Amino acid sequence: MPSNGLTVVYKETEERTELTAAYIKAGLQQNEHCIWIAPDPEGAELAKDLLSNSELDIESCITKARLKIIPLQETETLSAKQPETSGISFDWKTGVLQKEIIKFTHTGNWRYLRVNLEVKTPGKSITSSLKELRRILAENIPDKKIKPLFTIKEEDLLSGEVFDLIEAGEKLVIKREGKWKFLRIKQELPDKKFKILLESSSDSILIHDMKGRVMEANHIACELFGYTRSKMIGKQIKDLRTNIHLIEFGQQIEKLKQTGYFTFEMDSLRRDGTVTPQEINNMLIEYEGETAVLSIGRDISERRRTEKALRDSERKYRMLFEEFPGGIAQFDKYGTIIVCNENFVNFTGSGENEKLIFNLWSPPEEKKEEEKNITCLPEVPIHCDIKYISSLENESIPGEITYKPLISENSRFNGGIILVEDLTEVKRLEIVRLQQSEALKKIIDSIPTPVFCKDKNGIYVACNRAFKTFVGLEKRDILGKSLYDFAPIEIAEKYHSMDKSLLKQGENKVYESSLKFADGSIHQVILNKFVFNGLIEEDSVLIGIMIDITERKQAEEKMLQAKMAAEAANRAKTTFIVNMSHELRTPLNAVIGFSDLLLSETFGPLNEKQKRYTENISNSGNRLLDVINNVLDISKLDLGNVELYYEKVDMPRVIEEIWRVLSPFSTEKNISIEYNIEQGLKTIIADKVKFKQILYNILNNAIKFSPEGGKVNIAAKVQEDMIEISVKDDGIGIPEADYERVFQPFVQIDESISKKYGGIGLGLALVKKFVELHGGKVWVKASSGKGSTFTFRLPKTPENKIKEKEVITPPHILYNPEIEKKEEKDRTEIKEKVI
């Protein structure tokens, strides 16, 4: 141990504690007096534990005043009279710590004293601080020999000060490779002195001439810049820095010549292009017989990150304060505002560096001048409502204070944070919520049918008089209860969970149900349940409205019975018509057969009169047969007893056949028939017989209602997946209001039409039935006196395949096919008898 003590440079607090323990142990073993100054009470306990783990009797040393462990309290680091820029860690004339040291140095007879002192250097260099500290020790303890242990944290040490300490004669100790080592320089070997200093430093060191050429570099610099030492020597400084130009470099050299010392920050450029921020300390030296620059660089990457993190934290902290919707402020332990936002100033009238103007134990209703100096910051959290006079509006506004104290790590009170919230909007919303609730209750009471309200837990919160009557209870027995309290368990389990789910999902539900009223009667009701949204989610309720539909259901039942009776009567009528039609067709076939036989003159010639009478009999019979067939077809369709046989139908050929059949009628009225079939449209898949009847009925109507010398056009084309066929005439036309009526059975637009043109109004009705049976659609466009256009569409590809039979069969088939067989047999027998 050197007689003038040691100066230790450490990185971590653990390193300082380790060396201090070894330093004190060695002194105690040599019967020297020792003082260990710990940073705080916890550090003092740690020091005692470290010393106890040895062969020394620490308690005896303390009792005999050979050892003193003094905790350096946080509030006593600097005395009140101490200037902030002083390099001394304490004043020997003031403070509890100083008195303890002086008292201990005057206890007993001792030869040497060991004491550890942390060197702080706010505003001054380490070297000058150490000199001043040694002078004070010598002045206050002149007759004693002191072996001080000065400790310096590496981050507090400037890059060039390590040279100053060694040149000043300080015994400098640092830890390298896990061992504490002295930095010794032999004066007789100046070259080795630089080598040792260069390679022992943890900073990068360059020596360059006044033109910027590198003359020397230590291994830290070589690693930093990514070059070997041989490559570094001769490099230009401007090639090792970013954003540095010759003009700027020249300015730095001139400033260095004037002051001898120059410190700045710069980004150093590595060989691979990466950048390392450094704090550069330049000083003029003599090297190899010429003036040179000693450039010491310390990596400040971590410091930059820390500074950035601090700036970000400060920005976020300030943003929190400024953007906080209410007032927020931080106070010290004396009640002085350290920082606050604008809302706090507007709300309380107090700003930064001002005293809090109210007592948190009992917040005043308004600010008073005599309360300006009243401040009380309790050491427990507080939450209370207040009322202030706003500093901006000069009006009383409701508010709320939330206060939380700040406690340091050593359990000391350090002030607190206060949040002040303006409750004006909250109070307004409370009033609106109350008004909304009252209005809803009034609306519910005014509804004559039973109505109830439930909250999210399925609890009744409102109901009207009708609902009271329904359940047979008073409001006090309903409100605040759930369905489980007055309904059977099976009903409660079904509807309680459903109502909660509806409210949670925000859904509506309308359904019918049978409910038993309080008087025991069963009623059919419609329940309409929906969510009524409040200002906040907690205010949302489920409203249920019950509409009694018992009488309506009874009326519906009567209507259903009447409908069923009418349908039965209609079926009976249809069946009668079918059977009568068959009964009429049997003798009619004989009349037509015998009249045709007479016209053929097989049994002898007829005179003109006989021939005319016979033709009238045949024509009248055929017309009557057509009417009966149409009536029979309509009846079959009504009964659903219709069969479709799909096949490929040659459309042009079918149109030709129908034209040939109707040509006598068209020739008689001098009506021309034209048709236009889209190229490529040859066949259609349909029931051939029904398809021919559709075309026949439409064309027959077109010829019938067209004037003499008129024209009928037939057009066919493909329209998407349908085949469209239209028939246009220039006949009497149809009013737009009667477009739908013309397709109804037994309907004539004008009674005079049937007298003039004949017919009973079944042709178009059959067309509509047959088209729809194919899955198609038929319509008409016309105007009175300007002709008509009938159009129908059929699917190109029906659901059933070719020649596949589709039978539409109703639940009850009243038509008996045996009648059809009997008629066919009768017709055959008549022909055989005639022959």
Side-chain angles (χ1 to χ4, degrees):
M1 178 70 185
S3 58
N4 63 341
L6 287 175
T7 300
V8 177
V9 178
Y10 68 92
K11 286 187 176 180
E12 305 296 337
T13 304
E14 291 77 8
E15 294 180 357
R16 179 186 68 183
T17 304
E18 171 195 346
L19 189 62
T20 303
Y23 164 76
I24 296 296
K25 284 181 183 179
L28 293 174
Q29 289 171 350
Q30 298 175 25
N31 294 320
E32 297 174 349
H33 280 52
C34 300
I35 297 176
W36 187 333
I37 300 175
D40 48 42
E42 290 81 1
E45 289 297 325
L46 176 62
K48 188 174 181 180
D49 292 341
L50 290 173
L51 294 175
S52 298
N53 295 330
S54 65
E55 67 278 2
L56 297 172
D57 188 353
I58 299 304
E59 294 297 335
S60 175
C61 292
I62 293 174
T63 303
K64 294 179 181 179
R66 290 183 54 219
L67 173 64
K68 183 73 173 179
I69 300 176
I70 304 174
L72 182 63
Q73 297 296 336
E74 181 181 351
T75 57
E76 296 175 352
T77 302
L78 296 174
S79 73
K81 298 179 181 179
Q82 189 79 9
E84 291 185 359
T85 57
S86 173
I88 312 304
S89 59
F90 51 79
D91 187 343
W92 288 92
K93 298 179 181 180
T94 59
V96 177
L97 169 65
Q98 292 78 1
K99 292 178 182 178
E100 289 285 336
I101 295 176
I102 295 295
K103 181 179 178 182
F104 183 76
T105 58
H106 290 83
T107 302
N109 296 319
W110 50 273
R111 183 178 179 187
Y112 292 105
L113 172 67
R114 296 193 179 204
V115 59
N116 64 304
L117 297 170
E118 179 77 9
V119 181
K120 300 289 185 181
T121 61
K124 297 186 69 174
S125 69
I126 288 289
T127 305
S128 59
S129 297
L130 279 174
K131 287 181 181 179
E132 190 172 355
L133 186 54
R134 287 186 181 280
R135 179 185 60 78
I136 292 175
L137 289 173
E139 289 177 355
N140 286 274
I141 315 175
D143 300 329
K144 305 293 183 178
K145 292 185 178 180
I146 302 177
K147 297 179 179 178
L149 177 67
F150 299 113
T151 55
I152 307 169
K153 195 162 187 179
E154 186 175 316
E155 66 182 25
D156 296 333
L157 191 65
L158 296 176
S159 302
E161 288 182 327
V162 64
F163 296 100
D164 298 335
L165 289 173
I166 295 175
E167 290 177 348
E170 295 292 339
K171 300 302 183 285
L172 196 62
V173 178
I174 61 174
K175 193 171 187 179
R176 289 292 181 269
E177 298 177 355
K179 295 181 180 180
W180 292 97
K181 298 180 180 180
F182 282 100
L183 283 179
R184 296 188 178 92
I185 300 175
K186 295 182 180 181
Q187 298 298 325
E188 66 275 9
L189 297 173
D191 291 339
K192 289 187 177 181
K193 169 183 176 181
F194 275 107
K195 294 293 183 182
I196 294 173
L197 290 175
L198 288 174
E199 300 304 327
S200 299
S201 175
S202 60
D203 297 322
S204 68
I205 300 177
L206 295 176
I207 300 175
H208 63 82
D209 60 18
M210 303 302 282
K211 295 182 179 179
R213 184 180 64 85
V214 176
M215 304 170 68
E216 187 58 77
N218 68 350
H219 73 284
I220 297 295
C222 293
E223 292 175 0
L224 176 71
F225 291 104
Y227 296 99
T228 62
R229 183 176 178 277
S230 61
K231 294 289 185 181
M232 281 291 295
I233 305 301
K235 280 280 184 185
Q236 291 292 324
I237 288 296
K238 65 181 180 63
D239 297 329
L240 302 175
R241 312 285 190 216
T242 62
N243 301 325
I244 184 170
H245 304 285
L246 292 176
I247 297 176
E248 186 178 348
F249 177 74
Q251 293 172 348
Q252 292 178 1
I253 293 296
E254 290 299 321
K255 188 171 183 179
L256 192 59
K257 289 178 180 179
Q258 296 172 7
T259 61
Y261 193 90
F262 183 43
T263 302
F264 59 96
E265 292 185 5
M266 171 123 1
D267 291 335
S268 296
L269 184 62
R270 187 176 168 82
R271 182 181 181 182
D272 60 6
T274 56
V275 174
T276 302
Q278 282 190 304
E279 180 185 73
I280 307 297
N281 293 277
N282 285 351
M283 65 182 71
L284 291 177
I285 63 170
E286 291 292 330
Y287 185 76
E288 295 182 353
E290 62 177 276
T291 302
V293 177
L294 176 64
S295 182
I296 303 173
R298 172 164 293 179
D299 188 344
I300 57 173
S301 300
E302 186 62 32
R303 190 178 83 188
R304 287 269 183 94
R305 285 191 290 270
T306 303
E307 289 173 352
K308 183 179 183 301
L310 287 173
R311 288 194 302 270
D312 292 343
S313 177
E314 176 66 23
R315 186 168 57 254
K316 291 177 182 177
Y317 188 66
R318 175 56 65 178
M319 187 181 299
L320 170 66
F321 268 71
E322 295 302 330
E323 296 186 2
F324 186 72
I328 182 170
Q330 182 180 350
F331 301 83
D332 64 15
K333 63 182 178 180
Y334 303 110
T336 303
I337 301 173
I338 299 173
V339 62
C340 66
N341 66 353
E342 186 177 353
N343 288 336
F344 185 86
V345 177
N346 295 337
F347 196 74
T348 66
S350 300
E352 294 180 2
N353 301 320
E354 294 181 3
K355 285 279 189 178
L356 183 64
I357 61 173
F358 56 84
N359 190 326
L360 281 177
W361 288 114
S362 55
E365 287 298 310
E366 60 183 57
K367 300 178 289 188
K368 300 177 182 178
E369 289 299 324
E370 58 268 21
E371 293 174 338
K372 286 285 186 179
N373 295 323
I374 298 178
T375 300
C376 178
L377 288 177
E379 298 185 21
V380 293
I382 286 179
H383 183 85
C384 55
D385 291 335
I386 58 173
K387 186 174 286 185
Y388 281 109
I389 300 297
S390 171
S391 60
L392 289 181
E393 303 295 338
N394 196 27
E395 62 179 0
S396 177
I397 55 177
E400 181 182 66
I401 278 186
T402 302
Y403 164 75
K404 181 176 177 59
L406 297 176
I407 308 299
S408 66
E409 293 181 357
N410 57 358
S411 302
R412 291 187 171 224
F413 176 64
N414 280 346
I417 293 178
I418 290 181
L419 305 179
V420 182
E421 184 179 359
D422 184 350
L423 298 183
T424 302
E425 184 64 17
V426 175
K427 297 295 184 184
R428 187 191 68 80
L429 289 178
E430 287 179 354
I431 295 173
V432 173
R433 290 173 60 194
L434 181 61
Q435 292 173 344
Q436 186 185 65
S437 177
E438 292 300 322
L440 180 61
K441 290 178 180 178
K442 289 180 180 179
I443 293 173
I444 290 174
D445 285 335
S446 66
I447 299 175
T449 60
V451 182
F452 63 84
C453 283
K454 288 184 178 182
D455 64 12
K456 64 178 181 179
N457 298 314
I459 303 300
Y460 289 94
V461 294
C463 67
N464 62 357
R465 288 185 295 272
F467 188 78
K468 283 170 38 184
T469 304
F470 163 64
V471 296
L473 296 172
E474 294 298 323
K475 273 192 177 182
R476 63 176 178 271
D477 299 321
I478 300 174
L479 303 186
K481 306 290 181 62
S482 72
L483 195 58
Y484 285 98
D485 294 317
F486 48 80
I489 186 66
E490 62 274 8
I491 298 296
E493 288 180 349
K494 180 179 180 180
Y495 293 109
H496 181 75
S497 58
M498 184 207 343
D499 293 349
K500 288 175 62 177
S501 177
L502 288 174
L503 185 55
K504 183 178 180 181
Q505 302 297 330
E507 297 176 348
N508 301 339
K509 189 175 182 66
V510 179
Y511 60 94
E512 294 185 10
S513 181
S514 297
L515 297 179
K516 186 176 182 179
F517 277 42
D519 60 4
S521 60
I522 303 297
H523 290 249
Q524 294 291 325
V525 297
I526 292 179
L527 285 99
N528 185 358
K529 296 180 178 180
F530 59 92
V531 176
F532 181 82
N533 294 314
L535 291 177
I536 61 175
E537 186 176 355
E538 293 296 321
D539 292 342
S540 297
V541 294
L542 180 73
I543 296 180
I545 301 176
M546 302 166 56
I547 302 174
D548 193 338
I549 58 171
T550 304
E551 293 183 359
R552 193 183 81 184
K553 283 292 183 181
Q554 292 172 350
E556 288 177 356
E557 181 65 24
K558 291 179 181 179
M559 289 178 63
L560 180 61
Q561 294 296 331
K563 179 175 179 293
M564 292 175 63
E567 288 177 349
N570 186 58
R571 284 196 299 273
K573 179 201 70 174
T574 303
T575 304
F576 172 76
I577 291 173
V578 170
N579 293 331
M580 285 299 298
S581 297
H582 284 287
E583 292 300 324
L584 290 173
R585 284 172 66 183
T586 300
L588 188 59
N589 284 330
V591 171
I592 295 172
F594 282 117
S595 62
D596 289 345
L597 186 62
L598 290 173
L599 287 173
S600 66
E601 298 182 336
T602 303
F603 299 100
L606 300 176
N607 58 36
E608 289 300 323
K609 189 174 183 180
Q610 291 173 335
K611 195 171 185 177
R612 187 172 63 256
Y613 289 160
T614 305
E615 287 177 351
N616 288 338
I617 294 171
S618 178
N619 292 335
S620 298
N622 281 311
R623 282 198 296 272
L624 182 57
L625 182 61
D626 288 339
V627 170
I628 292 172
N629 285 335
N630 287 339
V631 171
L632 187 59
D633 287 339
I634 285 291
S635 300
K636 288 181 180 179
L637 287 168
D638 287 342
L639 291 173
N641 191 20
V642 176
E643 297 176 347
L644 291 181
Y645 296 91
Y646 285 99
E647 59 181 300
K648 285 185 178 180
V649 179
D650 188 335
M651 188 180 305
R653 184 174 179 180
V654 168
I655 294 174
E656 185 72 25
E657 289 177 2
I658 294 172
W659 174 79
R660 193 180 303 113
V661 170
L662 293 173
S663 61
F665 301 104
S666 61
T667 302
E668 183 179 345
K669 297 179 70 175
N670 194 25
I671 295 173
S672 64
I673 299 177
E674 299 177 357
Y675 54 89
N676 180 25
I677 300 176
E678 185 179 281
Q679 188 175 3
L681 180 57
K682 298 296 184 181
T683 60
I684 181 173
I685 299 175
D687 185 307
K688 184 175 182 179
V689 174
K690 302 296 186 297
F691 181 69
K692 290 173 71 173
Q693 191 165 354
I694 292 168
L695 281 176
Y696 178 87
N697 287 355
I698 295 177
L699 276 172
N700 187 39
N701 271 8
I703 294 172
K704 182 191 297 184
F705 295 106
S706 293
E708 290 190 8
K711 184 170 63 175
V712 174
N713 291 313
I714 304 172
K717 63 180 179 179
V718 177
Q719 193 76 10
E720 297 179 352
D721 57 346
M722 307 286 282
I723 293 176
E724 182 177 292
I725 301 173
S726 61
V727 177
K728 182 180 180 183
D729 63 58
D730 49 6
I732 62 175
I734 301 170
E736 185 175 352
D738 295 321
Y739 282 180
E740 294 295 329
R741 291 185 64 235
V742 295
F743 293 106
Q744 295 178 8
F746 306 107
V747 170
Q748 293 281 8
I749 302 305
D750 189 344
E751 293 298 330
S752 62
I753 293 177
S754 60
K755 296 178 181 179
K756 181 177 180 180
Y757 296 100
I760 62 172
L762 289 179
L764 292 178
L766 286 172
V767 167
K768 179 177 173 63
K769 294 283 188 180
F770 288 153
V771 169
E772 291 177 350
L773 200 59
H774 280 81
K777 180 182 178 182
V778 62
W779 66 94
V780 62
K781 287 186 178 181
S783 58
S784 296
K786 296 183 180 180
S788 305
T789 301
F790 285 84
T791 306
F792 66 93
R793 286 182 180 178
L794 299 180
K796 288 176 62 178
T797 306
E799 293 182 1
N800 292 344
K801 302 300 180 182
I802 299 175
K803 294 187 179 180
E804 209 174 52
K805 182 169 68 175
E806 176 184 329
V807 181
I808 303 176
T809 306
H812 303 284
I813 300 178
L814 301 179
Y815 169 67
N816 188 358
E818 294 298 325
I819 297 175
E820 189 74 42
K821 293 179 180 179
K822 183 176 180 300
E823 290 181 352
E824 184 64 30
K825 183 179 178 182
D826 291 343
R827 284 193 295 270
T828 304
E829 288 178 353
I830 291 171
K831 289 181 180 180
E832 289 176 351
K833 288 179 181 179
V834 172
I835 294 172

